[in-house]
Amino acid sequence: ACAEARKVLSSKQKEAKDGPLVAELSRLQGRLNSTQQELAKHKKAVASGERLIKSKQVLLDEEEKIKQAELEVAKVETFSTPLGDEKPADDVIKQIDAAVGVAQEALTAVMKSIDLHITNAMPALKASLSKLLARAKKSQEKVDKVKALTREQRERVSSEEFQKEASNKAGEVEAALEKVNDAELPFLKGIEELPLSEATSTIKSSEDAADVVQKVISDARTYIAGRTLEVRRFGEGIAKPALEEFQKQMERINNSGQKLSQFRRDTEQRKRQVLLQEGRERLAAVEAEVEKAVVAIAPLGNEDLDTLTPEAATAICEKLAALDKVAQGKVDDTHAFLSNSQKLVRGHASHEEQLRQLQSKLGGLQMDLQKSKKAASEREQRFVAKKLLTEASDLAGEVDAEIDRAAETAAPLLVEGGEDFLVANNVLQLVNALKEKMKQDGTSQEVIFSQMANGGKSAGKAAFKSYFEKIPETLGREDLTFSDTQREAMFKHVDKDKNGEVSTTEFEDMFRERFMCVHSISVTDTFDISTSKTVVKLELDEVVEAIGQPRHNNVLGVTRLECKLVESGKIGWVTMKGNQGTRYLEPYSPYTSFVKSLDRVLEATSKKTAGANLFIKQKGAELASCHVGPLVDARGELAKLRPRVSAAGKRLDELKRKVQEARREFAKKEEGEQKAQQEARDRKSAGIAIAAVSEAVAVVEADLQKLDDVARPLTTADASTLESFGTPISVSKETETLASTLAKSVAAAKAVASEQQAVLAKASKGPLHEAKQSLSKMLVKVEANEKKSLSLQGAVKAACEKCATSAAARMASVYREDVQKRGINFDALFVELAAPSREMISEDAFCKSVTKSPAMACSSEQALLLFRYIEADGITRRSFLRILQQYYVCVKTIAITNEFEISKSKTHRMLDLDEVIEVLEGPRSDERLGITRIRGRALGDGSVGWISVKGNQGTPFLKETPKPFFSCVAKIALEPDFKQQDGASVRMLKMDEVLEVLEGPRREKVGDVVRIRAKTCKDASVGWLTVK
């Protein structure tokens, strides 16, 4: 908060120019400094308090720790105190040893903690911590004493414990070794070669048992080695027997280790034998599989492929492939197994020789398998080649047939241009309009048909076209206007039997509602779903015809419709909309149904073509590695089929391109018809919107013209005209009234424009979009008029201000001359004009004084404008003097002369930089020389004369400056004369008192004292005081 206040004060001090304000800000700055100093003291006190609280907490914590440590030491003393002359028992010695460990740990921790805090602790805390440290050391001495008294007994008990545990460890090793012997027992029964699974399992168990023994031996050796180091620190009488016992136990462990090593060697020997046994069994399995493959290949090599059916040949090939795969897999697995076994038998000659024999036999079996496969390879290739060519040729034929079917399906769009769909849309539009009419006035289909058929049983072409020609006028729907050609096409569309007449049945068919399935759904026999049975499943894109109106099931929240399937004629109930919002049926559109059907046909044809192309490409790639045999010829035949399939693909692509182009053209036709009808509606709406806004804009422009006519005389007047402009207030009032009227008309125009823009907001093209753009332009025009209105008001205000400023300058000049001629000061003039109140000049007194002066040449309105410009509620002394008193500061050295005319004048003295001059007369321009001069008084020494404000080349010598004030920053005497006199003073000045400078600053010759003659703002006391 202090920082923010200092920031605000600093900003205000930079902006402040008025003396009293500067003094007040200085006083606030002093109070803020005092506050910050007091705040710093409080912060220091708070920090000291927090440190003291933390110190007390540290002391409490450490004291609690030392108490706990002393309790543990007391337990040690209790255990170690004998009852009489007897020595403590062994179990007591164990308790003492455990208690000593706990006490030592607690003492070590508390002494470390105290050392950590005592270094930077406050004096009082440091003394308390020192006492706690002394208590800790005293407790440590007690612990050390107990250790010394019980050392021999503790060492003896520990030694006995160590020896006992070492013996147990050696026993554990021997027990584990017994389990190893149990694991190898199957190999010791006299059977030279166990079954493979049992041998493998026994080897695994032996290795696991050996690993367990090795771990137990390692643990025992580690324990004895660690305890040996501890015992060596005991007394000799205790250590020697203990070390001898450790040596005995270590010998027991080493003996077990030797037995384990021998066992591992035996196990490795048995493992190699088992590997060779497994190799032999694997080789036997390979031999059996190779034999099966050779037997299976025989039929394919002996029979003529032409006499074999494709199914039989395929079955033989598949069986051969499966057997070959199994046999080759076993060969590969056995080869890998024998290769991996080489590492295990390396260095053992007999085992290496047996392994080589197995590998040699495996190589022979591999060769037998390859010979058998090679013998049947050519006949298999002939079969594969024949099958490939047949399949590829069939695929190419299917692709051609699919493309022909797709072209036939697309004919309504490609050949006929979709005209029938456009006509169907127009008929649907008319039917919807007639349905709306029927709903509004209750007219039936029979009545409408009777009107169209002129009471007959059927309507001819002329009657049909004539009736629908009148529909736009009858229904008030201009969008239903169709050309004669369009109406004739609609007649042909409705006349299904092409007999030149529209029958009652054909007319009713126009009004039948059809729906298309968009999600597969079941058709049931009744409305109630819970009791109904499925009649048929409605598939995607199937069309149904409504029988009656949709019904809503309130219990289930679904809408259902009784309908007839157009294709099959089956009748039933179907759900139109589910209870979660899923739509199953949508209104039928002939064109939409056609497009979806065509898309499915084209997609299926594309897949068929891509599949054929991919088949030929893949098979060609698979046969690329063949260099001889029937498959090479098959590859050539496949290559001949590729151009045929590629040509079919290009034909399909061309068909797709034509379909896409036709769909775009149809969309353009459809859009063109809709656009023409929509444009008529939009143009009417646009005209209404533009007319409403145009009327409001015209009102705004008329109001602006009135405002401009009234304001122009004042806003276009030059400086000389403004000085003599007699009615500025009348013009200002009238412009304010007209501006208020204009603001209302602008608001009304904006409201109308906004209302219409909201209606046209979504329009992106067409008449409504053009209307929206026109409204935007109108709105811009309204805003421009609004800105021009504000500009005119500002111009009127500026012109009035210029009038007031000019009048103020004339008034100041006249009053300054009057004061000089009459030999009075401005205060006396203020009292004269303010009479009888002496505190404030009233409006009436001021206007009378100004208007009766010929030199001022002010009208009554100019006088009133000037009064309001100075101070609207009555002119105070300070405001009056602010207008009359004008001061300049010297910015470039210039002469003070005794005459206005430079050629006749003499220099009184040179004006120094930064000297302040009070204007007594002027500013006055010397037209001949092109310079402006003032008659003024230098505040420094009271010198009076004429001074140039600016040279004839534009060089500034004087710059206007605010009236100088000083603020008292220390108590000092206000004296009657410039020269200081002992004891003589007007009164004592208080701190922060504001002084109006009347003369000075002037330096006193003795020393470097700077003094000014000033008047106090508080009570108008006048005198001299020292500034510096």
Side-chain angles (χ1 to χ4, degrees):
C2 288
E4 187 64 26
R6 186 175 296 281
K7 183 178 179 181
V8 173
L9 276 175
S10 177
S11 175
K12 296 295 183 183
Q13 284 177 328
K14 290 178 181 178
E15 297 172 0
K17 295 181 180 179
D18 196 15
L21 178 58
V22 172
E24 182 64 21
L25 290 174
S26 298
R27 186 177 64 78
L28 291 174
Q29 185 70 44
R31 289 176 59 190
L32 180 59
N33 292 338
S34 301
T35 301
Q36 278 196 314
Q37 291 173 1
E38 190 67 23
L39 181 61
K41 291 179 182 177
H42 287 305
K43 283 184 177 180
K44 187 175 180 181
V46 169
S48 178
E50 288 179 350
R51 190 177 176 190
L52 183 59
I53 291 170
K54 289 180 181 178
S55 299
K56 289 183 178 180
Q57 186 61 45
V58 167
L59 184 59
L60 291 173
D61 293 344
E62 297 305 325
E63 191 168 1
E64 181 62 27
K65 291 178 184 178
I66 197 67
K67 286 180 180 178
Q68 293 297 327
E70 287 174 343
L71 287 174
E72 295 298 335
V73 172
K75 290 180 182 178
V76 171
E77 289 182 318
T78 300
F79 287 136
S80 61
T81 302
L83 300 174
D85 296 332
E86 74 279 4
K87 292 183 178 181
D90 289 351
D91 57 342
V92 175
I93 291 297
K94 291 179 181 178
Q95 291 179 345
I96 293 171
D97 196 30
V100 165
V102 173
Q104 186 61 63
E105 184 178 354
L107 285 172
T108 302
V110 75
M111 285 192 285
K112 283 184 179 179
S113 180
I114 292 173
D115 288 339
L116 182 65
H117 289 101
I118 200 169
T119 305
N120 299 319
M122 297 173 67
L125 177 61
K126 185 176 289 188
S128 299
L129 290 176
S130 297
K131 292 178 181 178
L132 292 179
L133 188 59
R135 287 170 59 185
K137 289 180 179 179
K138 186 175 180 181
S139 296
Q140 182 64 53
E141 290 174 359
K142 293 179 180 179
V143 171
D144 293 341
K145 183 178 178 182
V146 171
K147 283 182 178 181
L149 290 172
T150 61
R151 177 180 177 182
E152 184 178 349
Q153 289 176 287
R154 286 187 295 106
E155 287 179 354
R156 179 181 57 75
V157 171
S158 296
S159 174
E160 291 173 356
E161 282 292 322
F162 293 164
Q163 292 175 50
K164 183 178 179 181
E165 184 63 22
S167 178
N168 291 338
K169 292 286 184 182
E172 290 175 3
V173 170
E174 291 171 348
L177 194 60
E178 285 298 323
K179 293 181 180 180
V180 167
N181 296 333
D182 295 340
E184 69 170 347
L185 188 60
F187 287 112
L188 304 178
K189 294 180 179 179
I191 302 174
E192 294 184 1
E193 190 173 280
L194 294 173
L196 182 60
S197 59
E198 184 181 356
T200 303
S201 174
T202 303
I203 292 294
K204 179 69 171 59
S205 299
S206 298
E207 289 178 338
D208 293 342
D211 291 340
V212 172
V213 174
Q214 186 62 56
K215 185 177 183 307
V216 174
I217 289 174
S218 298
D219 291 345
R221 286 173 174 169
T222 302
Y223 176 81
I224 292 175
R227 295 300 174 261
T228 299
L229 293 176
E230 289 187 40
V231 168
R232 291 184 188 279
R233 292 194 291 268
F234 293 173
E236 184 178 357
I238 295 173
K240 185 175 180 181
L243 292 173
E244 289 175 354
E245 180 62 24
F246 284 168
Q247 184 63 34
K248 290 179 183 178
Q249 301 305 327
M250 188 60 78
E251 288 176 0
R252 289 174 62 191
I253 294 169
N254 290 339
N255 289 335
S256 297
Q258 291 174 3
K259 293 178 182 179
L260 177 63
S261 297
Q262 181 60 44
F263 174 77
R264 284 188 181 277
R265 288 193 292 272
D266 294 342
T267 301
E268 288 297 321
Q269 173 69 16
R270 292 167 184 151
K271 189 174 184 180
R272 287 191 292 273
Q273 291 174 351
V274 171
L275 282 174
L276 292 172
Q277 179 184 349
E278 184 176 356
R280 289 191 294 272
E281 292 189 9
R282 281 175 175 268
L283 204 61
V286 169
E287 191 171 6
E289 292 298 332
V290 170
E291 184 63 29
K292 289 180 183 178
V294 171
V295 172
I297 289 171
L300 194 61
N302 296 331
E303 294 192 32
D304 187 358
L305 282 179
D306 294 333
T307 62
L308 283 175
T309 62
E311 293 77 12
T314 301
I316 293 173
C317 290
E318 289 177 352
K319 182 179 180 182
L320 175 62
L323 290 172
D324 178 61
K325 183 177 180 181
V326 172
Q328 190 61 53
K330 287 191 174 293
V331 168
D332 294 338
D333 290 345
T334 304
H335 184 271
F337 174 80
L338 295 177
S339 298
N340 292 334
S341 300
Q342 286 179 334
K343 297 179 182 179
L344 299 174
V345 301
R346 189 171 295 143
H348 302 275
S350 62
H351 292 155
E352 287 181 341
E353 179 59 28
Q354 292 179 51
L355 185 62
R356 279 195 294 272
Q357 292 175 2
L358 292 176
Q359 289 175 325
S360 176
K361 189 174 182 180
L362 179 64
L365 291 173
Q366 177 70 56
M367 290 178 65
D368 293 342
L369 182 62
Q370 293 298 326
K371 288 177 182 179
S372 178
K373 287 170 60 179
K374 187 175 181 181
S377 176
E378 183 179 353
R379 299 180 70 82
E380 184 182 359
Q381 285 187 24
R382 283 177 55 199
F383 166 72
V384 172
K386 181 180 178 181
K387 184 179 178 182
L388 277 177
L389 291 175
T390 302
E391 191 172 350
S393 180
D394 291 344
L395 279 174
E398 291 175 4
V399 167
D400 289 334
E402 287 287 335
I403 294 175
D404 291 339
R405 188 167 71 88
E408 184 179 349
T409 304
L413 188 62
L414 295 180
V415 179
E416 301 170 12
E419 290 296 333
D420 195 51
F421 301 128
L422 290 174
V423 174
N425 286 341
N426 291 337
V427 171
L428 183 62
Q429 192 175 358
L430 284 171
V431 168
N432 288 335
L434 289 173
K435 285 182 178 179
E436 188 175 345
K437 171 182 170 59
M438 292 162 61
K439 186 184 293 185
Q440 289 175 353
D441 57 18
T443 305
S444 64
Q445 292 182 21
E446 291 78 9
V447 171
I448 294 175
F449 181 78
S450 178
Q451 293 173 352
M452 182 179 69
N454 297 320
K457 294 183 179 181
S458 62
K461 183 193 298 185
F464 181 92
K465 291 168 62 177
S466 175
Y467 180 80
F468 284 108
E469 185 179 8
K470 298 174 184 177
I471 281 290
E473 182 179 351
T474 303
L475 301 183
R477 292 276 300 273
E478 295 298 326
D479 58 308
L480 298 178
T481 303
F482 296 100
S483 66
D484 185 70
T485 304
Q486 287 175 316
R487 291 195 300 276
E488 184 166 350
M490 285 189 278
F491 173 78
K492 291 180 180 179
H493 179 79
V494 175
D495 183 17
K496 301 293 184 183
D497 56 9
K498 308 302 178 187
N499 65 350
E501 299 283 339
V502 174
S503 65
T504 305
T505 304
E506 289 171 335
F507 184 75
E508 289 176 351
D509 191 55
M510 289 172 56
F511 289 83
R512 295 190 192 281
E513 283 191 282
R514 291 180 175 86
F515 297 91
M516 185 169 62
C517 178
V518 293
H519 281 93
S520 296
I521 185 73
S522 294
V523 178
T524 63
D525 57 350
T526 62
F527 172 77
D528 189 358
I529 296 176
S530 60
T531 60
S532 64
K533 297 179 180 179
T534 299
V535 175
V536 67
K537 183 178 180 182
L538 193 61
E539 298 294 345
L540 187 68
D541 296 337
E542 278 198 85
V543 180
V544 298
E545 193 174 274
I547 301 174
Q549 296 299 316
R551 288 172 58 186
H552 188 72
N553 188 321
N554 295 322
V555 177
L556 299 178
V558 298
T559 302
R560 290 173 59 76
L561 174 73
E562 188 178 12
C563 62
K564 180 177 74 173
L565 276 70
V566 173
E567 186 174 346
S568 65
K570 293 184 178 180
I571 296 175
W573 288 86
V574 66
T575 301
M576 298 181 68
K577 185 178 180 181
N579 57 4
Q580 298 299 318
T582 303
R583 289 191 176 275
Y584 297 98
L585 298 181
E586 284 187 354
Y588 170 74
S589 166
Y591 179 69
T592 303
S593 177
F594 165 78
V595 167
K596 288 185 176 181
S597 176
L598 179 58
D599 285 343
R600 286 196 301 273
V601 170
L602 289 174
E603 184 180 359
T605 306
S606 296
K607 289 181 178 179
K608 177 67 75 174
T609 305
N613 195 33
L614 181 62
F615 177 83
I616 293 174
K617 184 177 179 180
Q618 285 181 340
K619 297 307 177 183
E622 291 173 5
L623 299 178
S625 59
C626 297
H627 302 290
V628 292
L631 291 179
V632 175
D633 299 334
R635 185 176 65 193
E637 293 298 322
L638 281 176
K640 293 177 182 179
L641 285 175
R642 183 173 295 175
R644 178 182 171 185
V645 176
S646 297
K650 290 179 181 178
R651 192 154 65 95
L652 178 61
D653 291 340
E654 179 64 17
L655 178 62
K656 286 182 177 179
R657 185 191 65 76
K658 288 181 179 179
V659 168
Q660 289 299 324
E661 186 175 347
R663 289 173 68 171
R664 286 194 293 270
E665 288 300 320
F666 178 81
K668 289 179 182 178
K669 290 178 182 179
E670 193 175 33
E671 185 181 359
E673 292 202 4
Q674 293 174 355
K675 186 176 180 181
Q677 295 170 2
Q678 183 67 37
E679 188 173 346
R681 297 196 301 272
D682 291 349
R683 201 167 291 285
K684 184 176 180 181
S685 300
I688 295 172
I690 291 174
V693 179
S694 296
E695 184 179 351
V697 172
V699 173
V700 172
E701 290 178 339
D703 290 345
L704 179 65
Q705 187 60 47
K706 291 178 184 178
L707 176 62
D708 186 50
D709 292 342
V710 171
R712 189 181 298 111
L714 184 60
T715 57
T716 57
D718 56 17
S720 60
T721 305
L722 281 175
E723 288 186 7
S724 59
F725 197 89
T727 59
I729 292 180
S730 298
V731 172
S732 178
K733 285 183 178 179
E734 191 172 356
T735 55
E736 287 178 2
T737 303
L738 291 173
S740 175
T741 302
L742 177 62
K744 293 177 182 178
S745 60
V746 166
K750 284 184 176 181
V752 173
S754 297
E755 182 180 350
Q756 297 301 329
Q757 280 183 325
V759 175
L760 305 175
K762 296 182 179 179
S764 59
K765 56 184 178 180
L768 292 181
H769 181 65
E770 293 171 3
K772 185 169 72 172
Q773 290 180 324
S774 298
L775 289 183
S776 298
K777 292 178 182 177
M778 290 182 186
L779 195 57
V780 170
K781 195 172 183 181
V782 169
E783 290 174 349
N785 289 336
E786 185 180 22
K787 289 180 181 178
K788 189 173 181 181
S789 169
L790 295 174
S791 176
L792 285 172
Q793 293 177 62
V796 169
K797 186 177 180 181
C800 289
E801 191 169 342
K802 287 181 181 178
C803 283
T805 304
S806 176
R810 295 199 306 275
M811 181 197 75
S813 179
V814 169
Y815 278 158
R816 280 197 290 268
E817 289 182 9
D818 185 49
V819 166
Q820 292 294 319
K821 288 178 182 179
R822 294 167 59 188
I824 61 176
N825 58 24
F826 291 133
D827 287 327
L829 179 61
F830 173 79
V831 171
E832 182 180 310
L833 292 175
S837 71
R838 302 177 65 87
E839 297 293 334
M840 186 182 294
I841 302 174
S842 67
E843 178 184 313
D844 185 56
F846 179 82
C847 291
K848 284 181 180 178
S849 173
V850 171
T851 53
K852 75 179 182 180
S853 171
M856 292 189 192
C858 283
S859 66
S860 58
E861 284 198 15
Q862 285 181 325
L864 181 58
L865 181 66
L866 177 58
F867 176 80
R868 293 174 180 175
Y869 171 75
I870 297 172
E871 198 164 0
D873 296 328
I875 301 173
T876 60
R877 174 181 174 278
R878 180 167 295 178
S879 298
F880 183 71
L881 294 180
R882 187 185 72 244
I883 296 296
L884 297 186
Q885 291 179 327
Q886 190 175 9
Y887 292 85
Y888 283 87
V889 62
C890 180
V891 295
K892 188 172 183 179
T893 304
I894 186 67
I896 303 177
T897 64
N898 62 340
E899 295 288 343
F900 173 75
E901 293 186 17
I902 296 176
S903 59
K904 298 179 181 180
S905 64
K906 295 181 180 179
T907 300
H908 180 66
R909 73 174 178 86
M910 296 300 292
L911 197 62
D912 294 331
L913 286 176
D914 298 329
E915 263 197 273
V916 179
I917 300 93
E918 180 185 5
V919 179
L920 301 177
E921 188 177 342
R924 190 190 301 176
S925 298
D926 188 331
E927 301 295 339
R928 183 174 60 82
L929 297 177
I931 62 175
T932 302
R933 289 168 63 77
I934 62 166
R935 181 170 174 270
R937 177 175 65 86
L939 294 186
D941 59 358
S943 298
V944 177
W946 289 89
I947 311 159
S948 296
V949 177
K950 187 185 293 184
N952 58 2
Q953 298 300 317
T955 303
F957 297 105
L958 303 180
K959 180 182 177 182
E960 195 166 357
T961 187
K963 183 175 183 178
F965 287 88
F966 279 85
S967 174
C968 191
V969 296
K971 290 183 179 180
I972 192 169
L974 182 67
E975 300 172 346
D977 295 316
F978 173 73
K979 293 184 178 180
Q980 298 181 0
Q981 299 176 7
D982 295 337
S985 67
V986 176
R987 69 175 178 85
M988 291 299 293
L989 297 177
K990 297 179 180 179
M991 191 171 178
D992 297 331
E993 201 166 345
V994 179
L995 303 158
E996 179 184 344
V997 177
L998 302 178
E999 189 175 338
R1002 187 190 300 176
R1003 271 182 206 286
E1004 194 168 6
K1005 293 181 180 180
V1006 179
D1008 197 20
V1009 177
V1010 178
R1011 289 169 63 75
I1012 63 169
R1013 182 169 174 264
K1015 178 171 67 176
T1016 61
C1017 293
K1018 183 177 181 181
D1019 57 3
S1021 299
V1022 178
W1024 289 86
L1025 72 151
T1026 300
V1027 178
K1028 181 179 178 184

